[in-house]
Amino acid sequence: MCHATDQLFFTFDIEPTPQLRPRVSSRGGYVRVYDPPKVKQFKSLLRSLAVHQYARPPLLGPLSVSLTFYRPVQSSISKTERDRRLSNQSKPVVKPDTDNYIKATLDALNGVLWHDDAQIVKITGEKKYSDRPKITVSVKPV
């Protein structure tokens, strides 16, 4: 377990994927709710990247988490606008919403970085553009 002042930083080289609405199916009178395939694949890959970087037991107790989601820049824009986005002058105020990125990421990291995301008492999230899509996560016990 980390000491109260320890802060952990992780960089995951994976394109952020938002949590999408769950899918529902019924068979034989039973209803099943599940993640869409794209979200399921994202969570599985992110989880394995986290297990590879953090080979300790999940953190316990209250946590503060900060997440930054680096989205790819669209190819259909001008060079000037591309430069503005990569220099963080132009922000990604488009869908998907930051909270949907947060939800999918926290769910994927349950049981790896922390026991359960209910432990998170403070959270910040930010979207940025990048040539290299990735997710950075900072975790600090509080």
Side-chain angles (χ1 to χ4, degrees):
M1 171 114 179
C2 287
H3 296 88
T5 58
D6 290 349
Q7 189 164 4
L8 303 172
F9 293 97
F10 302 93
T11 299
F12 302 112
D13 292 319
I14 183 174
E15 184 171 334
T17 299
Q19 180 66 48
L20 301 172
R21 295 197 187 283
R23 303 291 190 250
V24 179
S25 69
S26 67
R27 176 177 273 163
Y30 294 99
V31 174
R32 187 172 81 97
V33 179
Y34 60 96
D35 277 330
K38 181 179 177 182
V39 177
K40 185 176 180 181
Q41 181 182 2
F42 166 77
K43 288 180 180 180
S44 176
L45 181 55
L46 179 57
R47 183 178 180 80
S48 64
L49 290 171
V51 166
H52 182 72
Q53 285 190 42
Y54 186 72
R56 293 190 269 177
L59 297 169
L60 299 173
L63 303 172
S64 173
V65 176
S66 179
L67 304 122
T68 305
F69 303 96
Y70 294 87
R71 300 169 33 109
V73 178
Q74 298 88 330
S75 56
S76 61
I77 58 170
S78 69
K79 182 177 180 345
T80 305
E81 179 57 22
R82 178 180 177 74
D83 292 344
R84 288 178 43 77
R85 291 179 182 191
L86 291 175
S87 65
N88 207 28
Q89 294 172 11
S90 187
K91 309 283 186 184
V93 291
V94 295
K95 291 190 180 279
D97 301 351
T98 306
D99 62 322
N100 291 328
Y101 281 139
I102 291 171
K103 179 69 177 139
T105 302
L106 296 185
D107 285 353
L109 299 175
N110 272 341
V112 180
L113 299 186
W114 44 76
H115 179 67
D116 188 275
D117 56 5
Q119 296 168 240
I120 300 170
V121 297
K122 180 179 179 185
I123 189 163
T124 58
E126 181 178 12
K127 292 188 291 188
K128 292 183 176 184
Y129 287 114
S130 175
D131 268 341
R132 193 179 126 222
K134 64 185 173 191
I135 300 169
T136 61
V137 179
S138 168
V139 183
K140 183 176 183 176
V142 293

